[in-house]
Amino acid sequence: MEASLGQKQKLKQQEFTVSISQLSASSSGAPCSSALARFSIEPEGAQLRFHQELEPSDIIQVDIRTAQLFKLGHIESVCINEGSATNKEEESYSRGITIRFKVEDEGRAFHWAFEHWKNETVQVCAGGRLENGKVLTSKSKFDDKIEASSAKMYFHYYGQLLHQQNMLQDYVRTGTYYAAVIENRADFIGRVVVDVGAGSGILSLFAAQAGAKHVYAVEASEMVEYARRLIAGNPSLGQRITVIKGKVEEVELPEKADILISEPMGTLLINERMLESYVIARDRFLLPNGKMFPTNGRIHMAPFSDEYLYVEIANKALFWQQQNYYGIDLTALHGPAFQGYFSQPVVDAFDPRLLVAPVTSHAIDFTSVKEEELYEIEIPLSFIASVGTRVHGLACWFDVLFNGSSVQRWLTTAPGAPTTHWYQLRCVLSQPIYVMAGQEITGRLHMVAHNAQSYTMYLTMSAKMWGVGAEQGGTLQTSSCKLDLKEPYYRMAQPQPYAWAQDQHPQDAVGLSLAQQLSLNSGASLTQ
């Protein structure tokens, strides 16, 4: 619905679109008109102002400290404001404002907000004000761990329609979400849903299509205005959707949710650190035994061999081998430049036949993982090489499960499966390691979150001793690299066409010689 709730943040505001009419000593009545009701914090405390659409300069100010709000019906209330006045120099000592809402849920949310802001005023008057007149406030959990400049760029990016279109046109992504919701109508009918990071509002509309009683679409970027317009353009669904502007770490909701729905996945599942916000929303808003769509995720990894990719990256540093660049010798910087290019994870779609060992996986259960467990992720690696080759690094991708009551559906980003906007990710070693068929490859992938909404990745891969004397243990070769997931090399060249039989699961295409050893169930669900 167009009447959207812009949820309260400290030092910010909360908005409702309502219809109002005035009753006062100087005005016996007035026709109903559309207005924006805005709660905000001022130095003197919380205020409520009604900005009328037909006359934007005509602002009705309400002092919440003395005002009272009464319910007249399911969608109608009256606010009694003592000693209020408009900016037209009109005196009025007892003004009644009749407020009409489009739906009953919105009326309840307005009453809840009125009391919430009234309490906020009490807290400010009780000593929360600083000497310079500012209101004392504390940073949210999001602000504490994320650099302000990174957050600004992040919300700016997702506030643009062209980026939302890019995600909407990822039909694997959008189609899987739609199927997961609609095929599990039993989970949504008559339930309260919270859409975490709603973006354009498409998932909220899907939830309403599936019969949700009410959906709270929480979005912190300026995309919230487009979401309101899109939802208002679908009134049969929009009347059950309330759009809330704010971060899930900060907003308040009038009720708990039966279901959380979100698209919190970034590159390699964890980039952008939105999974943490998803978990925080779970802890703040989800009822016990509530459902989460998606429910869990898995990061899949396997060593790969790709001589062309390795040479391509290494050749980028050849520029720095010039000994006479306008009379300057650049070779002193070749080493740092060489390592710098190998510090970028490669994001592209690759042929699954480049994988040289069976896959290992790391699972994250969104319903139970603690936020702090996502700050640092360590994954031990152990593979058996299927062929003798040079190993150039570690290939990674992810999938997520929508564990509905009726249908379990997977969304996969695996190589060989239909390409998504996430593609796959490869960590390339600056020093490849050599292996023989049957030789063990060990190591670890250690990922540490940083305040630019991403992770620093530390990869170590070793070739274990092989053949006679191997039982004594030890390694023959070890190679390590440090990468920044925030700064990938986007290499969007498509892989060679690699078709599989109609009755073959997409995940089976991840190295046909390894198919029987891949413990990936996503393909089976995707073909259901």
Side-chain angles (χ1 to χ4, degrees):
M1 62 188 169
E2 189 174 356
S4 302
L5 169 61
Q7 218 35 22
K8 173 249 176 185
Q9 300 178 28
K10 292 285 186 178
L11 290 176
K12 295 192 179 179
Q13 60 191 26
Q14 180 176 1
E15 298 176 352
F16 294 80
T17 302
V18 297
S19 297
I20 65 171
S21 59
Q22 301 182 50
L23 300 173
S24 69
S26 59
S27 176
S28 58
C32 193
S33 63
S34 182
L36 182 68
R38 176 178 294 156
F39 294 93
S40 63
I41 281 285
E42 306 296 337
E44 64 274 15
Q47 295 290 324
L48 169 61
R49 293 184 176 89
F50 292 92
H51 301 257
Q52 300 186 73
E53 286 189 2
L54 295 180
E55 296 185 52
S57 62
D58 191 3
I59 301 174
I60 303 171
Q61 182 170 312
V62 175
D63 187 343
I64 300 181
R65 292 173 296 182
T66 58
Q68 293 179 290
L69 186 64
F70 301 97
K71 200 166 188 177
L72 299 180
H74 293 304
I75 60 171
E76 188 173 28
S77 299
V78 63
C79 179
I80 305 300
N81 183 31
E82 298 179 7
S84 66
T86 69
N87 62 349
K88 289 189 174 182
E89 301 181 355
E90 173 187 339
E91 294 185 354
S92 177
Y93 294 97
S94 181
R95 181 183 298 272
I97 304 170
T98 302
I99 309 168
R100 293 183 177 87
F101 310 96
K102 288 187 177 180
V103 294
E104 184 178 358
D105 284 343
E106 189 176 276
R108 285 200 300 267
F110 186 90
H111 275 258
W112 177 89
F114 187 90
E115 292 302 319
H116 192 79
W117 283 85
K118 197 178 187 77
N119 292 335
E120 184 73 18
T121 299
V122 172
Q123 293 172 11
V124 170
C125 293
R129 198 181 300 117
L130 301 178
E131 290 183 4
N132 63 3
K134 292 184 179 180
V135 178
L136 181 64
T137 183
S138 60
K139 288 185 176 181
S140 72
K141 202 165 191 179
F142 180 91
D143 295 327
D144 284 336
K145 65 185 181 182
I146 300 301
E147 190 177 72
S149 59
S150 175
K152 182 177 180 180
M153 292 178 62
Y154 174 78
F155 292 123
H156 173 73
Y157 179 90
Y158 285 108
Q160 301 179 65
L161 277 176
L162 68 158
H163 297 306
Q164 295 292 329
Q165 180 177 337
N166 178 50
M167 293 185 289
L168 292 173
Q169 288 182 321
D170 179 346
Y171 297 113
V172 176
R173 164 198 179 270
T174 306
T176 303
Y177 266 90
Y178 179 78
V181 172
I182 298 302
E183 292 173 347
N184 289 288
R185 289 179 182 271
D187 293 327
F188 287 85
I189 293 176
R191 304 296 173 84
V192 174
V193 179
V194 172
D195 183 357
V196 180
S200 66
I202 191 70
L203 300 185
S204 296
L205 290 162
F206 288 172
Q209 283 182 318
K213 173 187 174 184
H214 201 84
V215 184
Y216 295 95
V218 182
E219 173 57 40
S221 78
E222 294 307 312
M223 182 53 55
V224 72
E225 298 302 327
Y226 295 109
R228 289 172 178 170
R229 293 178 63 176
L230 181 63
I231 289 167
N234 294 269
S236 63
L237 302 173
Q239 62 182 346
R240 289 180 281 122
I241 302 174
T242 299
V243 180
I244 302 171
K245 184 174 183 183
K247 305 183 186 78
V248 294
E249 293 85 353
E250 301 171 2
V251 302
E252 301 292 342
L253 299 181
E255 57 186 323
K256 294 288 188 179
D258 301 293
I259 302 179
L260 294 187
I261 189 168
S262 182
E263 197 263 73
M265 300 89 73
T267 305
L268 194 59
L269 182 63
I270 57 175
N271 188 41
E272 297 178 343
R273 298 184 64 180
M274 192 181 164
L275 278 180
E276 294 165 39
S277 296
Y278 190 37
V279 169
I280 290 171
R282 177 201 70 194
D283 295 340
R284 296 193 66 204
F285 305 132
L286 191 62
L287 287 167
N289 300 317
K291 286 190 170 292
M292 298 178 72
F293 276 53
T295 314
N296 56 51
R298 298 181 301 187
I299 298 173
H300 304 287
M301 298 146 288
F304 73 93
S305 180
D306 190 343
E307 198 71 38
Y308 290 105
L309 174 62
Y310 179 81
V311 171
E312 176 186 331
I313 296 174
N315 282 349
K316 290 183 177 184
L318 290 178
F319 170 84
W320 298 97
Q321 287 189 331
Q322 297 180 80
Q323 296 178 339
N324 188 13
Y325 182 74
Y326 295 95
I328 306 299
D329 185 349
L330 301 181
T331 57
L333 296 182
H334 175 261
F338 183 84
Q339 294 300 326
Y341 284 118
F342 280 95
S343 72
Q344 291 184 284
V346 177
V347 175
D348 69 348
F350 63 84
D351 192 316
R353 289 173 293 188
L354 296 175
L355 302 177
V356 298
V359 173
T360 189
S361 302
H362 176 77
I364 302 175
D365 186 344
F366 305 148
T367 66
S368 61
V369 67
K370 295 178 181 178
E371 178 200 353
E372 294 76 13
E373 294 173 353
L374 297 172
Y375 293 172
E376 190 169 350
I377 300 171
E378 184 161 347
I379 306 173
L381 304 175
S382 180
F383 309 97
I384 301 297
S386 301
V387 294
T389 186
R390 284 217 308 175
V391 173
H392 293 102
L394 188 71
C396 310
W397 61 94
F398 72 88
D399 56 25
V400 293
L401 170 66
F402 300 87
N403 191 17
S405 299
S406 303
V407 176
Q408 290 187 336
R409 184 165 286 273
W410 289 88
L411 168 58
T412 182
T413 64
T419 303
T420 70
H421 77 284
W422 289 286
Y423 295 90
Q424 293 96 42
L425 180 137
R426 286 186 283 175
C427 305
V428 186
L429 297 168
S430 61
Q431 179 59 55
I433 59 176
Y434 295 82
V435 297
M436 299 294 290
Q439 190 169 1
E440 184 179 5
I441 304 168
T442 60
R444 73 167 189 160
L445 177 62
H446 185 205
M447 297 179 286
V448 181
H450 58 64
N451 63 4
Q453 291 175 276
S454 193
Y455 286 77
T456 301
M457 306 173 68
Y458 302 89
L459 172 64
T460 299
M461 298 183 74
S462 301
K464 296 291 291 290
M465 289 185 65
W466 181 81
V468 179
E471 65 276 1
Q472 298 177 10
T475 59
L476 294 175
Q477 304 169 72
T478 295
S479 185
S480 300
C481 61
K482 176 183 175 182
L483 309 101
D484 187 353
L485 187 56
K486 178 82 170 183
E487 301 292 340
Y489 163 35
Y490 288 101
R491 181 180 182 257
M492 298 311 186
Q494 293 295 312
Q496 294 296 317
Y498 189 61
W500 54 83
Q502 291 296 317
D503 59 347
Q504 182 183 3
H505 300 325
Q507 290 285 12
D508 291 341
V510 188
L512 290 182
S513 63
L514 310 173
Q516 314 228 327
Q517 303 171 43
L518 294 176
S519 57
L520 304 178
N521 299 322
S522 54
S525 296
L526 283 169
T527 56
Q528 287 180 355

